[in-house]
Amino acid sequence: MSNPRITVLGVQPGTPPFRIVQIDGQVVGEARTITDVLQAAAAFGITVHDLDDPDTVRWVGGDKLTWTPRHSARAAEKQDERP
């Protein structure tokens, strides 16, 4: 199993929602977009050529396109069902 230097944790609720970014096991900031992840990596001297490469980035709780909490869709559906 690979041990990438960059880990992007699951989406956290917020306005807007965000994901915690870790580099070398240390929290370095929050990302609200893919660009934020790339900027955090660059700040630590890491050049990312492929965000889908598991040797480069570990995505937890969704992939690079996941930027909203999973429960949001279900919560919205339940609100729509209320009379």
Side-chain angles (χ1 to χ4, degrees), residues 4 7 13-14 18 23 28 33-34 38 42 50 52 61 77:
T7 300
F18 62 94
I23 295 182
V28 298
T33 65
I34 292 172
L38 294 171
D50 183 0
D52 292 319
E77 287 174 5

Side-chain angles (χ1 to χ4, degrees), residues 42-61:
F44 283 80
I46 303 169
T47 301
V48 177
H49 296 286
D50 183 0
L51 286 166
D52 292 319
D53 180 359
D55 291 328
T56 303
V57 182
R58 178 175 177 238
W59 297 94
V60 179

Side-chain angles (χ1 to χ4, degrees), residues 7-22:
T7 300
V8 183
L9 301 177
V11 179
Q12 302 298 308
T15 307
F18 62 94
R19 297 177 80 165
I20 301 294
V21 179
Q22 295 179 336

